[in-house]
Amino acid sequence: MFSDNELKDMIARQVGPERVPARIRVISDTSDFYRVDYDDVVILGEKPYLIRHNEREGRFGIEEQQKFWVKRAVDLIDGSVKVVKLTFHESFVAKVGGLSFECYRSPKKEARILQLVRGDQRFMQGVSILDTAGNIVRILDYIQGKTLSDSVLLLGRDHEDYFYNYFPKVLGEFIELARAIKFLHDNGEKHGDIRRDHIIKEKNTGLCRWIDFDFNYLHKENMAGYDLFGLGNVIVYLAGRGDVISRDLKEKDPEAYQKLSAEDLNIIFSSRVVNLQKVYPYISDDLNRILLHFSSGANVFYENTGEFLQDLQMVQNRLS
Amino acid sequence: MQPSGQACMINKHILVAVDESDNANRAVQYVALMLGGLQGFKVTLINIVAVPPEDFFTNAGQRASWIADNETKSKRVLQGFRETLVKSGVDGQSVEISMKTGEYTSVAQVILDEATLIGAGTIALGRRGISKQEEFIYGSTSNKILHSQKSCNALWVIE
């Protein structure tokens, strides 16, 4: 399809003549993703992509790990940076707190959601293409920016300043994100891996977008339960301008620590404080009531994203 | 005018939702105990084969094999509980079995839809004691039926 010289010309044009490799390996069957390496050219849908490094992902203090099936790449036709996700099936039992989930990674699910959310700026954008071996490869627009969780840590002199001057806007952004998840649920889909680092605040536009839809879990009665738990963790994090950990509080704010009981902690992650009003008394009752739905003391849970959104909306209406 | 104290019409069709669990066994034993020897009742045993989404499987053959295995188990469970009821004195002619296979979002909804479809007046099912965490994240079929059922006269949740 493309001669070596044509590819070398394209590489020189898009990434610079000094970056042109002496020998080019062209790959169209990506089944063995370990074989797809730096400086290879992968042909997908008749377009050549120059492969750069493997993407990495860290989680909750665990050192970042390479995701060998996720490659940063350059579209050699227009020079845009892409994230190329190759087909990787895995299934495992995940433990969250004491609960088990049968989880799996599904390229097909991610491809389906990419199609569903095409043009919707609340989600990462991209297309899926079959390689010559029939593997579902997702070609995603690279989003430059920080995770939402990192970006809120930079807001405000202290929590009080953050809460009064920045949180109302952050809440508005979060409501849009929760609406986006409701849209998935309404269409019979789950995000599957709602975490605060799966929300990127785009540098140029300031838009917050969900990323990574290839995870799925076998739900039981409530299809949305695990996604809702994820949304709950994110809003608690945003309201607290970070996780409020009970043992940290013991040293930093012993007075607040003394007021806490087991019921004030996260229903699954028992080190995290959910009843933030006991730590930050200026947090309003209506917001705190939402947070308490995710606490050990909760007797009523949100059944669906719509109920959660309704309560959030009331807080936002009062703040605006 | 209806005389006070007149017995209301009782719908004598009971839908019993079962799976392989001990809770289901307890539910069937309870129904057997309640009905053994009584005339005029009809029982439908239902088991739901909730098929995971298509993307759970790597190919169509794997999905077909999963369904075949689980339908075999389902038939065994249903036949086993049917025998339990008959041995307890429930008329074999009055016991039907129903297996539902599909990609269902909610098992509770399948049970409710079946109750409406067959005109059952009572739904019976077992409940395992689940923790608050489990109810929060997994959801509870019996709770959902309790809160959603409108057409049935009664719901028996057997602990």
Side-chain angles (χ1 to χ4, degrees), chain A residues 82-299:
Chain A
K82 301 289 181 189
V83 174
V84 174
K85 286 176 98 170
L86 306 176
T87 285
F88 174 40
H89 290 285
E90 61 171 342
S91 59
F92 53 91
V93 176
K95 295 259 183 196
V96 181
L99 306 183
S100 302
F101 291 87
E102 204 171 331
C103 295
Y104 57 100
R105 194 180 288 283
S106 167
K108 205 182 279 181
K109 171 184 175 257
E110 188 158 65
R112 210 168 51 225
I113 293 184
L114 284 172
Q115 178 69 29
L116 178 68
V117 303
R118 179 154 304 165
D120 187 333
Q121 299 302 307
R122 299 170 301 182
F123 298 93
M124 70 177 185
Q125 295 292 300
V127 293
S128 68
I129 286 172
L130 295 181
D131 71 5
T132 54
N135 296 301
I136 301 172
V137 179
R138 287 127 294 147
I139 302 164
L140 310 168
D141 297 343
Y142 176 70
I143 306 171
Q144 202 178 11
K146 282 185 190 321
T147 62
L148 179 62
S149 52
D150 283 348
S151 71
V152 297
L153 295 177
L154 305 171
L155 302 175
R157 288 185 311 276
D158 53 24
H159 184 274
E160 193 166 359
D161 180 34
Y162 162 78
F163 187 73
Y164 285 114
N165 297 314
Y166 298 92
F167 180 71
K169 183 167 182 278
V170 171
L171 177 65
E173 290 170 334
F174 177 74
I175 286 174
E176 268 315 304
L177 290 162
R179 282 198 188 117
I181 296 302
K182 181 176 183 296
F183 171 75
L184 293 184
H185 294 168
D186 289 347
N187 283 279
E189 298 284 2
K190 308 164 208 157
H191 181 284
D193 197 13
I194 291 186
R195 295 156 37 173
R196 56 188 191 239
D197 55 344
H198 279 166
I199 303 165
I200 305 290
K201 194 171 173 65
E202 196 171 35
K203 192 178 171 186
N204 293 338
T205 62
L207 291 170
C208 294
R209 295 163 176 244
W210 288 109
I211 61 165
D212 276 9
F213 320 134
D214 58 345
F215 241 59
N216 209 346
Y217 56 91
L218 291 187
H219 66 265
K220 299 199 177 174
E221 187 53 48
N222 189 356
M223 184 192 98
Y226 190 55
D227 270 2
L228 267 167
F229 171 60
L231 286 174
N233 289 335
V234 176
I235 186 62
V236 172
Y237 181 94
L238 297 178
R241 191 178 171 244
D243 283 328
V244 178
I245 306 294
S246 57
R247 69 169 177 277
D248 295 346
L249 210 57
K250 194 174 181 180
E251 287 178 15
K252 290 178 190 161
D253 189 351
E255 199 182 321
Y257 179 78
Q258 286 300 322
K259 291 183 205 157
L260 292 178
S261 70
E263 297 200 330
D264 299 320
L265 305 175
N266 184 297
I267 188 164
I268 304 289
F269 300 125
S270 55
S271 61
R272 296 187 197 168
V273 178
V274 165
N275 190 351
L276 294 181
Q277 203 178 46
K278 286 196 175 174
V279 183
Y280 306 119
Y282 42 84
I283 286 186
S284 57
D285 289 344
D286 51 3
L287 174 62
N288 206 52
R289 261 197 305 275
I290 295 174
L291 308 184
L292 290 178
H293 281 77
F294 304 96
S295 73
S296 290
N299 287 313

